[in-house]
Amino acid sequence: MLTPRFIPYVLKQVSRHPARSILTTLGVAVAMFLFVSVQALQRGVAEATQATGKEVTLVVYRENRFCPATSRMPDSYARRIMAIPGVESVIPMKIVVNNCGASLDTVTFRGVPREDIGSITKSATIISGSIEEWKRRGDAALVGETLAARRGVKVGDVLSAAGVDVYVAGIVRSEHAQDQNVAYVDLAFLQGTVKRGGDGIVTQFNVRVSDPARLPEIAKAIDEEFRSDSEPTDTRPESAFVARAAHDLVQLVGFSKYIGWGALAGVLALAGNAIALSVRDRIKEHAVLRTLGFRGGLIARLIIAESATLCLLGGAIGSIAALAVLRFGNFSLSIEGTSMNISAEPSLLAVGLAITAVAGILAALLPALNASRRQISESFRAV
């Protein structure tokens, strides 16, 4: 540990070579910006694709179909699904997207029966507008908060995408990633607007079950019910459905963790090189300090504190910049109508600062150890 009375000395050493300190700080900031961004991306994918054990929603999709435009089933399937034991509710959905591939700006329209909009928004909060306005107009939409911020629309505006124009009747806030990036519209309106798969055709059914433990059993029963029909189904828990749709993206995001670790290695190398050069330039000064009674351990702690200060400063700049960009950018990674938020959680700032502090300490260990072991006479001869 280092007593507070030595803090001015450490800060003086940091500011003694401004060019070196600024370049080191900026280098660490860039590396931590990259690391925090990668961590946010991985968190968003994990939250959208990992089962929690409390999941109660199944997604029924057309078998061997992937893009919403190719999954077409008659909405009459809803009655047969509802008759299966353990099913609590069934919501047929028509889904229209402006881009079926991977994108950071996908607009997803979800058409739901007018009478089911209450159950859709039960777990969400309407932060602007009203559900009554949605019910009053046939072309109205309840828009997720993230999508509204990304597209810059508010209540009363018109949201246009994929050939669909809707009136924004409300903005909803939800913890569910799929609700944050969609616009809920009336099913009949959406079926009448799109050219393919119109009246009586839906893209998927969202099935709520009474017991999470029965998800696999009920999913199998639903697929068996439609196995011999002209439109057989593929039923999965919602998280598994998102994971399947985003399989390629999940693999790419998984690879990105190596980029994050590479950024940390860069922090270590950058800070280590800066501190090693700084210590080499101060051999005479350390000899004087040893002559004045400073022990080798204290000199080592001063060097480590200097390195940790530089890394913490750079880590704070990079982490805050990454969180600000992610927060105000409202990025959402979408593919095949499913969305994964790139979460800018404040806890990432604490993680970034902790990692840079540890990196700063590790980077300075070797130069600090050498400086602490160097004898006074040896130091003066090295000048």
Side-chain angles (χ1 to χ4, degrees), residues 64-188:
N64 298 325
R65 298 292 187 273
F66 304 101
C67 182
T70 63
S71 176
R72 293 190 289 275
M73 297 173 289
D75 56 11
S76 59
Y77 276 16
R79 291 192 299 274
R80 294 166 64 183
I81 296 173
M82 193 65 203
I84 294 174
V87 173
E88 196 171 274
S89 65
V90 181
I91 300 177
M93 287 187 182
K94 177 72 179 175
I95 297 178
V96 175
V97 296
N98 66 338
N99 187 349
C100 198
S103 172
L104 290 174
D105 185 26
T106 296
V107 177
T108 303
F109 295 101
R110 287 190 171 188
V112 297
R114 186 164 289 269
E115 61 274 16
D116 289 327
I117 190 62
S119 60
I120 290 290
T121 57
K122 189 164 55 178
S123 60
T125 303
I126 298 179
I127 59 175
S128 180
S130 68
I131 198 168
E132 288 73 23
E133 183 69 2
W134 186 90
K135 293 178 178 177
R136 192 177 66 81
R137 296 181 59 124
D139 63 343
L142 291 177
V143 182
E145 183 181 19
T146 303
L147 173 60
R150 192 169 66 246
R151 282 292 174 132
V153 296
K154 58 184 183 301
V155 172
D157 289 345
V158 174
L159 175 64
S160 301
V164 180
D165 299 327
V166 296
Y167 170 83
V168 180
I171 308 294
V172 298
R173 176 177 295 163
S174 172
E175 295 181 354
H176 201 285
Q178 306 309 318
D179 290 339
Q180 295 175 24
N181 292 283
V182 302
Y184 283 107
V185 299
D186 178 48
L187 176 59

Side-chain angles (χ1 to χ4, degrees), residues 43-60:
R43 281 193 181 191
V45 171
E47 288 173 0
T49 59
Q50 289 182 355
T52 62
K54 299 179 180 177
E55 202 169 2
V56 293
T57 302
L58 290 168
V59 176
V60 182

Side-chain angles (χ1 to χ4, degrees), residues 1 19 42 54-55 85 91 143 146 160 168 226 251 270 287 292 300 315 323 353:
M1 295 292 292
Q42 291 183 333
K54 299 179 180 177
E55 202 169 2
I91 300 177
V143 182
T146 303
S160 301
V168 180
F226 301 106
Q251 287 188 322
L270 189 62
L292 293 175
L323 291 180
L353 292 178

Side-chain angles (χ1 to χ4, degrees), residues 32 311-313 315-317 319 348-358:
M32 289 311 298
C311 287
L312 275 174
L313 187 58
I317 294 173
S319 300
L348 281 177
L349 176 60
V351 172
L353 292 178
I355 288 178
T356 48
V358 172

Side-chain angles (χ1 to χ4, degrees), residues 283-297 299 370-376 379-380:
I283 292 178
K284 180 179 179 181
E285 179 181 321
H286 290 156
V288 172
L289 291 176
R290 293 292 297 273
T291 304
L292 293 175
F294 282 56
R295 295 183 177 276
I299 292 176
N370 290 336
S372 65
R373 289 180 174 178
R374 190 174 288 118
Q375 298 297 320
I376 297 177
S379 298
F380 278 120

